[in-house]
Amino acid sequence: MTHLAILISMVITSVLAAQSRNFIYAAMWLALLSATVAVAMFNMGAPWAAVFELSVCAGLITVLFAGTASMLGKGTKYAQNERRFMKYLPLGLFAFGVCLWYITYPYAALLKPSQITQTTPMMVGDIIWQLRYKDLIGQICMFVAGVLMVKAFFGRVKDE
Amino acid sequence: MNEILNFGAQFFTPDNLYLDWFTAVLLFFTGVYCMASSRNMLRTLLGIEISSKGCMFALLSAGYTIGNIDFAQAVIMIMIGIEVVIVAVGLGLIIRSYAQKGNLDILDLKNLRG
């Protein structure tokens, strides 16, 4: 039942994050969502991913969101029609969930775990550095591209 | 009564791939709804974050179910790194756009020029 509680709290925190009027509160709900996902990761035996999730998503990204929201101040409350459809989110989510359950539950029995024959069990570090090293190179390229983009956004323009 | 309890004990466990994927799809729907229903760029970025949490949980659940959680962990860690880049660039774009336009309307980005 612990797993059920985790799943329910994930859905509730996501809805509250989406619906929050104040963006600092939304960042806090997003941090709680990340923390809940991290608990699910710990529960399912993925401690390294959980630590990453907790420190980066629940920590760094929350700070970035809250910092931006407080920097922009009242500017974040832009748009008259912004929250016009947001109040229907719980209703829409419930209707979507009921439809999804009705359509997909007959096929739930087909979702059975397939057996993977692992010849040699690999550690997380080995998988990242040996098996998925191309992903790592792509990630480094994305970091470089991100730094260059942020530099382009906030770079000083020389007067001509 | 015991049958119901037994069903609950078997159904609400991490081994139930269907329930995990159902939750992941609900998270994804919440994020997409958040993106689609608002023109505020901050809320759009929030929707991307919520959707990525759903994807991340689906990956984790698949890895757990097939007994290859280490592989899922590796992919999730790379995904988190990319997510940080997306958020940093997105927030930079938002701040820059707000400084120029004075609002956070995503439709104003149509006028961006390099």
Side-chain angles (χ1 to χ4, degrees):
Chain A
M1 293 302 264
T2 313
H3 194 64
L4 179 67
I6 292 170
L7 298 183
I8 290 174
S9 49
M10 272 164 46
V11 175
I12 290 174
T13 46
S14 68
V15 171
L16 288 172
Q19 277 204 310
S20 287
R21 194 178 293 269
N22 190 331
F23 273 100
I24 295 180
Y25 289 149
M28 298 301 163
W29 284 120
L30 190 68
L32 205 58
L33 172 63
S34 297
T36 317
V37 174
V39 171
M41 286 172 177
F42 270 119
N43 196 28
M44 296 165 95
W48 288 103
V51 167
F52 256 67
E53 175 77 19
L54 204 57
S55 58
V56 177
C57 292
L60 176 67
I61 290 180
T62 306
V63 169
L64 287 176
F65 260 108
T68 307
S70 57
M71 191 187 295
L72 298 184
K74 290 182 179 176
T76 56
K77 290 176 183 167
Y78 158 78
Q80 306 87 342
N81 300 329
E82 185 205 349
R83 292 174 47 81
R84 189 173 58 180
F85 298 109
M86 201 54 79
K87 58 187 173 188
Y88 300 119
L89 173 60
L91 187 66
L93 187 65
F94 180 76
F96 179 75
V98 169
C99 292
L100 187 69
W101 186 276
Y102 183 74
I103 293 169
T104 59
Y105 189 70
Y107 305 101
L110 297 175
L111 280 175
K112 285 184 178 175
S114 59
Q115 296 298 320
I116 282 191
T117 52
Q118 273 188 310
T119 50
T120 51
M122 295 177 77
M123 302 297 289
V124 181
D126 296 335
I127 293 172
I128 290 178
W129 289 106
Q130 294 173 16
L131 210 60
R132 308 296 298 179
Y133 69 93
K134 287 178 185 171
D135 288 354
L136 208 60
I137 294 171
Q139 191 186 14
I140 292 168
C141 291
M142 282 212 61
F143 274 125
V144 173
V147 170
L148 290 177
M149 283 185 76
V150 172
K151 189 176 179 302
F153 288 147
F154 298 106
R156 185 173 294 173
V157 180
K158 289 180 182 174
D159 296 330
E160 291 182 358
Chain B
M1 187 66 185
N2 283 334
E3 288 178 356
I4 296 173
L5 289 175
N6 284 336
F7 174 77
Q10 288 174 0
F11 194 74
F12 299 124
T13 57
D15 295 326
N16 193 332
L17 186 63
Y18 176 72
L19 197 61
D20 287 349
W21 280 27
F22 186 79
T23 310
V25 173
L26 288 187
L27 282 180
F28 192 80
F29 175 82
T30 308
V32 170
Y33 190 95
C34 191
M35 280 188 271
S37 65
S38 174
R39 281 164 55 182
N40 190 326
M41 284 189 275
L42 260 180
R43 207 170 285 281
T44 306
L45 206 56
L46 201 71
I48 292 173
E49 277 295 301
I50 295 172
S51 300
S52 77
K53 297 282 176 264
C55 299
M56 210 179 283
F57 188 65
L59 263 176
L60 177 79
S61 172
Y64 179 85
T65 310
I66 62 176
N68 202 354
I69 195 76
D70 288 332
F71 193 83
Q73 278 195 91
V75 176
I76 286 172
M77 283 159 76
I78 291 170
M79 193 173 161
I80 289 172
I82 292 172
E83 200 179 312
V84 171
V85 177
I86 290 171
V87 169
V89 171
L91 290 177
L93 183 66
I94 287 169
I95 292 173
R96 193 69 183 151
S97 172
Y98 183 74
Q100 283 192 344
K101 309 281 181 186
N103 63 42
L104 294 176
D105 194 345
I106 199 162
L107 295 183
D108 278 350
L109 287 182
K110 283 192 300 188
N111 300 326
L112 274 185
R113 288 178 186 167

